[in-house]
Amino acid sequence: MSAGRLDWLAGQGAALRGEIEVPGDKSVSHRAVMLAAIADGTSRVQGFLEGEDTRSTAAIFGKLGVRIVAPSASVRVVRGVGLHGLQAASGELDCGNAGTGMRLLAGLLAGQAFGSVLVGDASLSRRPMARVIDPLRRMGAHIDARDGGLPPLIIHGNNVLQAIDFELPVASAQVKSAVLLAGLYAQGETRVREPHPTRDYTERMLSAFGWPISFSPGQARLAGGHRLRATDVDVPADFSSAAFFLVAASLVPGSDLLLRRVGMNPRRTGLLEALRLMGADIQEQSPGEQGGEPVADLRVRHAPLRGIAVPERLVPDMIDEFPALFVAAALAQGRTVVRGAAELRVKESDRIAVTAAALQALGARVQETPDGAVIDGGPLRGATVDSHGDHRVAMSLAIAAQLASGEVRIGDCANVATSFPGFDALARSVGFGLRPAGAIG
Ligand code: S3P
């Protein structure tokens, strides 16, 4: 968990120029450690995200008896213990700020012979877990939570899990993945169907680790009783981290920025389509493949943006990018309407309310709706705003500050380290005006 309080002072930057590579994908890093831990043999994970969320997951497997070493930064060598080789931890398992960690682990730990207790930080302790508890209970798991299905989660051991055919009530890759991971330990064939296809890293990675699985957009099926084979994983750069620079360079006049080897899984790149509809100038160059995932270099140049009605079909494919999209909309010409995005209210913060309040303080015209917002573009001014400890809100407000007429103080930014350690230094290196409050110069 982040140490202490950190505020940023942001604004008055230069045109954004240069070539950068953002850190490894968070979703892929979590899954790589999880599957490597319960595989037979030793796996090497390259490009592992050195964020607090993913480090929490690695530390949890250490407590469960898996030897994980870090020969250098962004590399983990995981000595897998096999499907049934995990051991009971002596204390609670701390997922920190990570919803992905807690929800996927709930599925994986539901199939163990021993019990576990999953805890998280203040933000994670407010996030809904009934969405994973309900299907896992249907599979035969015994899980207790606080009233309202909130963490901590007490997962009892020695359950005989049965496969289910599960239709997800919300489009959630975390819920889908929890059910599939429990399905590894279940008798029979587990099936999940989604109202809208979500990121399929669990399915792809299970297949790469040798588990028979059939999947296509919106559905996946697997049976219990197989084994995972150790596999090396090469993690691509995180599109969600690249997203802040795509928005910033689109907005700041004179910008011309190259983002190298960005993961381009189509279930992640909805923001690219939304920004292009708004008039952004983003080119995909040198397309290739890394660790079984499509990657490309993205060249983004400043272009005037105009407001749009964000197509609802894009929402799951850009679910983590709305704070940045709100900033783009607040600085675009005309009106942007976001609908069908109620899930934003149960992320690391209520991202609709928190982003809207901060942008309003900067002078933006933002009207919240239950499942989105109506945003009218216009000039922004300096002010003191609060990210409420939400990493993606903090980074998005740092973008807004580059275009504000005065300096912006952004409160509670330490959690940026959960997904994007070193964001402020990298952002400064391409021209952002951004520094920790209290630092000189
Ligand atoms: C994730 C799925 C999404 C996303 C999160 C990572 C994953 O959450 O917001 O940052 O790795 O599966 P939901 O499944 O709650 O939509």
Side-chain angles (χ1 to χ4, degrees), residues 4-362:
R5 164 132 184 149
L6 170 70
D7 290 359
W8 279 340
L9 293 175
Q12 312 294 318
L16 306 180
R17 290 178 168 266
E19 285 188 31
I20 52 172
E21 186 164 331
V22 299
D25 189 280
K26 180 152 73 74
S27 295
V28 175
S29 297
H30 277 297
R31 288 160 171 83
V33 165
M34 289 182 190
L35 295 194
I38 55 167
D40 297 318
T42 298
S43 304
R44 187 183 167 90
V45 183
Q46 186 132 343
F48 178 76
L49 171 65
E50 294 287 359
E52 289 171 1
D53 278 10
T54 42
R55 290 162 79 121
S56 296
T57 290
I60 284 173
F61 281 96
K63 287 190 165 182
L64 294 168
V66 181
R67 198 168 133 70
I68 302 178
V69 292
S72 55
S74 307
V75 176
R76 289 296 183 281
V77 176
V78 183
R79 198 181 292 167
V81 294
L83 205 62
H84 298 284
L86 296 176
Q87 292 161 19
S90 55
E92 296 175 334
L93 303 173
D94 188 353
C95 302
N97 192 243
T100 308
M102 185 171 282
R103 295 198 178 114
L104 271 61
L105 279 164
L108 196 156
L109 293 173
Q112 306 302 320
F114 55 84
S116 305
V117 179
L118 293 173
V119 301
D121 70 4
S123 151
L124 184 52
S125 300
R126 288 192 293 268
R127 296 184 64 188
M129 294 296 147
R131 53 181 60 196
V132 287
I133 295 171
D134 291 346
L136 294 174
R137 279 186 181 150
R138 278 181 50 197
M139 295 177 83
H142 288 94
I143 303 179
D144 297 320
R146 268 196 301 137
D147 281 355
L150 299 175
L153 298 185
I154 299 166
I155 301 168
H156 300 276
N158 269 328
N159 303 299
V160 179
L161 299 187
Q162 297 294 335
I164 50 168
D165 185 339
F166 184 58
E167 198 161 335
L168 274 82
V170 283
S172 165
Q174 294 176 356
V175 177
K176 169 177 67 174
S177 301
V179 173
L180 289 175
L181 292 175
L184 304 182
Y185 295 89
Q187 292 171 355
E189 186 180 76
T190 293
R191 195 163 175 183
V192 289
R193 298 166 224 257
E194 308 176 274
H196 184 287
T198 63
R199 64 192 73 188
D200 55 1
Y201 298 122
T202 304
E203 297 92 308
R204 285 165 175 252
M205 211 180 283
L206 281 169
S207 175
F209 276 77
W211 195 283
I213 176 167
S214 113
F215 63 98
S216 56
Q219 73 87 30
R221 281 187 288 142
L222 60 76
H226 301 280
R227 300 195 71 84
L228 295 165
R229 268 193 322 267
T231 304
D232 292 346
V233 180
D234 195 1
V235 183
D238 198 321
F239 182 89
S240 293
S241 296
F244 302 108
F245 292 98
L246 295 178
V247 171
S250 295
L251 290 171
V252 177
S255 296
D256 185 352
L257 198 58
L258 190 77
L259 298 159
R260 269 188 258 108
R261 313 294 293 163
V262 180
M264 296 291 286
N265 183 308
R267 298 279 73 85
R268 296 292 301 284
T269 52
L271 179 76
L272 203 53
E273 196 174 330
L275 285 176
R276 283 178 175 149
L277 289 171
M278 296 175 84
D281 176 0
I282 303 170
Q283 288 171 11
E284 291 165 47
Q285 301 176 345
S286 315
E289 207 195 87
Q290 189 173 331
E293 288 290 331
V295 293
D297 292 347
L298 297 179
R299 181 176 183 188
V300 50
R301 279 178 281 199
H302 166 69
L305 301 185
R306 54 184 176 273
I308 56 165
V310 177
E312 272 189 61
R313 70 181 163 79
L314 290 181
V315 168
D317 296 346
M318 55 182 289
I319 193 66
D320 291 334
E321 278 57 80
F322 278 97
L325 185 276
F326 276 29
V327 171
L331 288 153
Q333 196 173 20
R335 172 168 285 193
T336 294
V337 180
V338 174
R339 280 198 206 91
E343 273 294 298
L344 297 176
R345 296 206 179 269
V346 290
K347 292 293 178 188
E348 286 82 329
S349 69
D350 175 342
R351 286 187 171 154
I352 296 175
V354 168
T355 313
L359 286 172
Q360 283 159 0
L362 297 175

